Each structure stands twice: as C-alpha cells, then as structure tokens.
Amino acid sequence: NGVAQAAQRAAARHETAVEAASKIVLPMLALVLLVAVLMVFALRNGLKPLDAAAQDVASRTASSLAPIPTQAVPREIVPLVGSINGMMERLAQALSNQRRFMADAAHELRTPVTALRLQLQLLKRAGDPAGRAEAVADLEAGIDRSQRLVEQLLNVARYEPDGEPLQRESVDLTALARAVVGAMSARAEHFGLDLGAAGDAPVLIEGDVNQLTVLLNNLVENALRYTPAGGVVDVVAGVSEGCPMLR
C-alpha cells in the first residue's frame, strides 16, 4: 500500500479564482444594466396610461366632470378610476342641484320683490290716511310672504341630499302636531280660521324632528292660506292600517 499526496500553492488557487471572477463580473454587470434599462422602459410604458389619467384629472374643472375613459387604463387601477368617476358623478349632481336651486330661488323671489316694489309705489301715491293705512297693510303682508318664501328656500337648501345629515330620533307625531298648531294659532286667528290638533295617543316614529317640523309647517301654512275664512283646519296624528299617519 502507498500514500499519494497532492498539493497546490495558495497563491496559484487565488490567481485561478481571480481569473474566473474577472471573466464573470463584466457579463454580470452588463446583464444587470440591461435588466435595469428594460425595467425602466417597461415601467414608463406601463405607467403612461396612468400619467394620462392623472393629467386628465388635473385638467378638470367644475364644468368638466365627464367620466375618465377606462379603456387604456391598466387593469389593476380600473377600480380606482371607477371610484374617481363615481365621485365626479356625485359632484356633478350636487353642482347641478345647486344651480337648479339658485335658478328656482331667483325665479321664486322675482315675483314677491316685484309685488313689494308695486306696493311701495302705491304707498307713496296714497294721499289720504285710509289709503295709506291700506297700502301699509298690503306692504306688511307682502313682506311676510317674502319672509316665508325665503325661509322655505333656506329650508330646502338645508335639507338637500348633500346638505345636513339626517338626525334620526324618536318623534311623537301627536306632540309635533300640537306644537305646530300652537305656533300657527295666531296666524289662523288672523285668517279667521279654526285651527286645531286631533289625536290623544302618542304616535312614535324614527325620523328627523327638524325636517318633520318643516314639512308640517308647510302643510299647515298652505292649508291656512287656501282655506276660506270661517273654515276649519284640523291636524290629525294617528295610525292607519298599522302605519303612522299625519293628515
């Protein structure tokens, strides 16, 4: 039996490793650089539709709220663009409601303002005390009508869908009817009408007491305005076929 031993100088092994590494490093650096360039190119091309959508959104104004096209948008961000389109649609609806309200308010206010101007001219022309007193009474009535109209318009603006949120709470329609009738009793007497509230048992519902008050005020005011003198107006709170009712 014999023993065979082989040896290599450490310097020779180091030299071999350096030579092998020098042959690999340059191709690896070139490959990494190529991959980086390709990634940048791919990202830029992939994000072009997103940049276009961002520029489209940035260029929009209050009068240009059309939906953003989603055909060229990357599939991954289609839900985001859809949410933005939904938000712009709601904003467009809110602006449309605001413009319509402003137009309606201007139209509604034009008539009473014109009437007030005519009544003021009649007051200036009145020569005798009786005519002046009648003109003053007409002017006061016109001012009252204008005030009620302004209050109604403000209530409409306050309770638009995008206005103050609903404050739901338990509301007794019977108590609400009595409160509104009590507040309107002086006006009913002025018109020569018999205004009353009918109903004894509480009628409870869940709702916004402020909006229900505005609703009932408008109904009773219309009833007082269009009921002939000497008539009777009853506000009834009750239950009809299992459902709360105001009549």
Side-chain angles (χ1 to χ4, degrees):
N1 296 331
V3 177
Q5 294 182 344
Q8 186 181 26
R9 294 174 56 189
R13 295 181 62 185
H14 180 70
E15 182 179 353
T16 302
V18 169
E19 182 180 359
S22 63
K23 293 180 180 179
I24 296 175
V25 167
L26 291 179
M28 289 295 295
L29 290 177
L31 180 61
V32 169
L33 182 61
L34 178 61
V35 171
V37 171
L38 291 176
M39 288 183 62
V40 170
F41 179 77
L43 286 174
R44 286 185 175 178
N45 283 338
L47 292 178
K48 277 184 179 180
L50 183 59
D51 291 338
Q55 293 176 2
D56 189 5
V57 173
S59 63
R60 296 299 181 94
T61 64
S63 58
S64 58
L65 296 175
I68 302 171
T70 58
Q71 290 79 7
V73 174
R75 182 176 55 189
E76 292 77 9
I77 64 169
V78 167
L80 174 61
V81 176
S83 299
I84 295 175
N85 286 339
M87 181 189 66
M88 290 197 298
E89 182 179 357
R90 293 190 297 270
L91 179 59
Q93 183 64 38
L95 292 175
S96 175
N97 291 339
Q98 185 181 38
R99 287 192 292 267
R100 186 169 61 252
F101 171 76
M102 295 297 293
D104 292 342
H107 176 72
E108 292 293 336
L109 289 173
R110 187 178 295 115
T111 299
V113 169
T114 302
L116 288 177
R117 186 180 298 277
L118 293 175
Q119 290 162 357
L120 181 59
Q121 292 176 357
L122 292 175
L123 176 61
K124 291 180 179 179
R125 296 174 183 174
D128 58 316
R132 183 175 293 273
E134 182 179 357
V136 169
D138 291 340
L139 183 59
E140 289 177 346
I143 293 174
D144 290 339
R145 287 192 297 270
S146 300
Q147 182 179 358
R148 287 195 300 272
L149 178 59
V150 170
E151 290 174 354
Q152 290 175 349
L153 291 173
L154 291 176
N155 287 328
V156 170
R158 186 179 299 118
Y159 296 117
E160 281 290 323
D162 54 343
E164 295 181 1
L166 287 174
Q167 302 294 330
R168 293 189 176 275
E169 57 183 306
S170 180
V171 181
D172 183 2
L173 294 182
T174 302
L176 180 64
R178 290 175 180 171
V180 171
V181 167
M184 294 281 191
S185 59
R187 186 172 300 174
E189 291 179 3
H190 176 72
F191 290 140
L193 299 174
D194 180 9
L195 175 64
D200 299 324
V203 180
L204 300 179
I205 65 170
E206 291 292 324
D208 190 313
V209 65
N210 292 323
Q211 292 200 27
L212 289 170
T213 302
V214 171
L215 169 67
L216 197 51
N217 279 334
N218 288 336
L219 292 176
V220 174
E221 185 172 344
N222 287 334
L224 296 180
R225 184 180 303 174
Y226 297 110
T227 301
V232 177
V233 177
D234 286 329
V235 182
V236 181
V239 178
S240 176
E241 298 181 355
C243 296
M245 172 207 63
L246 272 175
R247 185 178 71 246

